[in-house]
Amino acid sequence: MTRLNLRGFEIHKGFLSPERQRALVQVLRPVLQAAPLFSPDVPGGGQMSVRMTAAGGYGWFSDKSGYRYIDAHPSGRAWPAIPAEVLGIWETLSGSDRAPECCLFNYYGEGAKMGLHQDKDEADFSYPVVSISLGDDGLLRIGGTSRREKTESIWLNSGDVVVMGGEARLAYHGVDRIRFKSSRLLPKGGRVNLTLRVVT
DNA sequence: AAGTAACC
DNA sequence: CAGG
């Protein structure tokens, strides 16, 4: 376990043991059953290559009209509860007095990526975003609070946890690519990223 | 606008 | 051609 700081991003390499990673995969199965993955449309046309769902009171959503949090899966069913094992990671690393209201579940299949963006659909940026990587390696790109600022990249591996707080809370970030089937955690391959947020 | 593509 |  080593901790790195890259432009305010607190990166806990190897935070989750392989056993803890496997336990997380197990508790996430019923979440996916209750709330199947979908690929949101984005304003201006186009569709994300990442497939996503969520747990908690709110899930992030996007369509032609914009980005927002919604209180139920697009199917109309309530989002499932955030598993206790996930809440425990937030409690250890967030330094927050509030529980997360959203556990966004992003699945990167072969070739999936996510463009540079800010997490700014939440009401209070004083709470950090905690990001958990499981499965295949992903290349995280980190910038500043303006699109013009230089960026730098770091490979995230299964079990790494990143805390985006303080100056990093509104920093641009994205995932340029994954190394498909670089990990054996997920039998079908791919990368799962969980992000915990206080929304309201 | 978390999309793509053009362009440098 | 890869990266920004």
Side-chain angles (χ1 to χ4, degrees), chain A residues 17-79:
Chain A
S17 67
E19 309 87 87
R20 237 177 134 188
Q21 294 173 42
R22 285 192 289 270
L24 277 174
V25 170
Q26 288 303 114
V27 300
L28 290 170
R29 281 205 176 113
V31 169
L32 288 172
Q33 288 269 29
L37 296 169
F38 57 91
S39 287
D41 293 328
V42 292
Q47 189 175 35
M48 298 181 70
S49 56
V50 171
R51 297 200 292 152
M52 60 177 63
T53 188
Y58 298 90
W60 188 84
F61 184 74
S62 163
D63 61 15
K64 285 173 208 161
S65 356
Y67 303 156
R68 60 200 177 274
Y69 283 93
I70 56 178
D71 62 9
H73 185 272
S75 66
R77 298 176 58 189
W79 299 110

